[in-house]
Amino acid sequence: MALKSLTIVGATGSVGLSTLDLVRRSPDRFEIKALTANKRVSELAALAKEFRPDFVAIADTNKHKELKELLAGTGIECAAGSEAVIEAAKLSSDILMAAIVGAAGLRPTLEAVRRGATVALANKECLVCAGDLMMQEVKANGAHLLPVDSEHNAIFQVLEADRPDAVHKITLTASGGPFLGRSEESLKSVTPAEAVAHPNWDMGAKISVDSATLMNKGLEVIEAYHLFPVEKDQISVLMHPQSVIHSMVEYIDGSTLAQLGSPDMRIPIASCLAWPERMPVPANTLDLASIGSLTFQEPNYEKFRCLALARDALEAGGAAPATLNAANEVAVDAFLTGRIGFLDISSIVEEALTQIDMKAPHSLANVFEIDSEARHLASALIA
Ligand code: NAD
Ligand code: MG
């Protein structure tokens, strides 16, 4: 495999660090061009000293001075602010790992798409709030969008994308998060610590809460709709608590192809970094004999309202997906900081969806208008 240059936006997060773990083990395959973070300045500086990028950016301008001091004498250029993060994404590199959480990842990801890069996409929120725009830009600029999300990466690996007529449906599997077996009544009082304790995956706080509400699976249904040549009613969700089958494609002849693996994000990340080749990953091998049995069940849309709301938002189109995403980001933050209860997350998203009356976004400016309107509304509902 030829040496590839890599920029990671969101380098200090769970996906960012898993990506750097692979780079650390394969120094002959990758060189780091740029790294960015939101607030974790000392972590970012330590990564910069280790991986020696040309450029690092911190979104929080209050941390600029500290970053400069930490990197003094290294020759590594640094800057601060959301524009600096975008500058990092614009720098020429073979691959951009889009590992920022939330709609904040939209502009950096879009800039990498516009320069025709190979984009390893972890940031699902950017497809939820601006999927049509993003996919138009991918096409127009000859970029490659490779899904990092384990379900979409699984489908990417088994889908014959050039033969959409041969596909009957795609099935996204869902672990169900920590509350799969709990009663709805008992969900009223769950704490942030319980919600982020995912049984199978070690992830950032926001996606962990989304996994507990099943909003994550809802966002993934919308993500799949934009990534793959399927209609909305060809995307189904299946609960599979062991997280071994990462997703599957059923063809019209009755053949179903699935991708399996240990629940370790380094597997789908490596598949994107090495694409179209493959590279070794130090993950546990899949030991099906010791796992013993794989189980499945239908999702409970009444108990996990967020999944139903996301499906409705996809169906409604227009401003609904961007509204769903923004209201959810605000509500999850309020839950994590103890301002609302777990079940309030879906209520706030639902209320925001009924109150927003805006048309489908046809420009990036529109997307941000919808996003900001929905954030105001959700914040007001929380207050
Ligand atoms: P995380 O919270 O661990 O990390 C988020 C990263 O984004 C950090 O580096 C942070 O500094 C940066 N960031 C946050 N806000 C920012 C802002 N306003 N401006 C610039 N940078 C900002 O999140 P994560 O779990 O790594 O998830 C990242 C993305 O990948 C999410 O969209 C998530 O849905 C997706 N994803 C994650 C996993 C996983 O296993 N963690 C799996 C599938 C998909
Ligand atoms: Mg996923």
Side-chain angles (χ1 to χ4, degrees):
M1 204 169 103
L3 184 73
K4 292 178 179 178
S5 56
L6 171 65
T7 288
I8 306 175
V9 293
T12 53
S14 161
V15 170
L17 292 174
S18 293
T19 306
L20 286 167
D21 180 71
L22 292 169
V23 172
R24 185 178 288 122
R25 293 162 193 269
S26 291
D28 49 329
R29 290 170 197 264
F30 305 102
E31 61 180 9
I32 297 294
K33 181 77 181 183
L35 297 174
T36 81
N38 189 26
K39 292 180 189 300
R40 294 190 175 169
V41 65
S42 49
E43 285 93 331
L44 180 64
L47 293 172
K49 284 177 180 162
E50 180 182 357
F51 291 97
R52 294 277 153 184
D54 296 345
F55 182 64
V56 296
I58 186 112
D60 184 349
T61 48
N62 295 321
K63 312 272 177 175
H64 193 192
K65 187 165 166 272
E66 198 178 341
L67 184 61
K68 273 197 284 197
E69 284 164 6
L70 288 166
L71 294 180
T74 61
I76 300 169
E77 199 191 327
C78 70
S82 51
E83 291 304 317
V85 175
I86 291 164
E87 283 315 306
K90 280 184 177 173
L91 291 176
S92 164
S93 69
D94 296 317
I95 307 174
L96 177 108
M97 169 56 76
I100 291 176
V101 60
L106 175 55
R107 284 196 56 207
T109 307
L110 195 56
E111 289 304 338
V113 164
R114 285 180 173 155
R115 65 176 170 82
T118 294
V119 175
L121 184 77
N123 178 233
K124 65 192 86 185
E125 293 91 347
C126 72
L127 280 186
V128 173
C129 58
D132 289 336
L133 287 171
M134 185 70 87
M135 297 314 290
Q136 280 163 19
E137 295 273 359
V138 168
K139 219 171 165 185
N141 295 287
H144 292 288
L145 201 54
L146 307 178
V148 170
D149 214 346
S150 58
E151 297 77 3
H152 307 73
N153 186 266
I155 290 170
F156 183 77
Q157 293 195 44
V158 296
L159 180 72
E160 294 172 23
D162 51 345
R163 284 196 277 164
D165 293 348
V167 175
H168 175 57
K169 67 169 186 177
I170 63 177
T171 299
L172 304 178
T173 53
S175 70
F179 304 141
L180 182 62
R182 297 269 292 250
S183 71
E184 194 170 342
E185 184 58 31
S186 77
L187 291 182
K188 282 184 188 155
S189 56
V190 297
T191 64
E194 289 174 286
V196 299
H198 197 282
N200 306 343
W201 300 93
D202 184 12
M203 309 183 287
K206 191 259 180 184
I207 184 177
S208 296
V209 175
D210 285 349
S211 298
T213 60
L214 288 202
M215 179 59 92
N216 183 51
K217 209 50 53 180
L219 300 177
E220 289 183 359
V221 169
I222 302 175
E223 180 186 15
Y225 172 71
H226 291 291
L227 283 173
F228 305 119
V230 289
E231 301 299 329
K232 295 165 187 164
D233 60 3
Q234 285 178 295
I235 307 170
S236 70
V237 172
L238 181 66
M239 309 314 293
H240 167 43
Q242 295 81 19
S243 300
V244 167
I245 296 182
H246 295 307
S247 276
M248 37 202 164
V249 178
E250 185 182 331
Y251 289 93
I252 49 174
D253 61 3
S255 286
T256 296
L257 300 193
Q259 185 262 359
L260 288 70
S262 297
D264 184 329
M265 280 307 291
R266 292 175 303 177
I267 297 173
I269 291 170
S271 130
C272 296
L273 295 183
W275 182 86
E277 296 173 36
R278 292 201 184 255
M279 62 183 273
V281 175
N284 293 334
T285 51
L286 188 61
D287 183 354
L288 288 173
S290 74
I291 293 168
S293 62
L294 300 180
T295 60
F296 306 94
Q297 64 192 73
E298 290 293 340
N300 182 336
Y301 287 91
E302 277 82 51
K303 188 162 86 176
F304 296 105
R305 281 289 300 147
C306 286
L307 178 56
L309 292 172
R311 290 215 79 124
D312 292 349
L314 175 62
E315 207 51 56
T323 301
L324 171 99
N325 179 67
N328 181 59
E329 284 190 36
V330 172
V332 169
D333 184 63
F335 169 68
L336 282 169
T337 48
R339 290 175 285 138
I340 60 171
F342 184 73
L343 293 179
D344 297 329
I345 298 173
S346 60
S347 308
I348 285 160
V349 173
E350 184 158 18
E351 189 56 32
L353 282 168
T354 54
Q355 289 193 27
I356 286 254
D357 177 25
M358 288 173 100
K359 296 202 170 53
H362 39 76
S363 69
L364 202 56
N366 283 160
V367 173
F368 287 119
E369 264 174 65
I370 297 166
D371 179 270
S372 131
E373 177 84 17
R375 279 171 205 270
H376 279 122
L377 205 68
S379 302
L381 289 165
I382 289 161

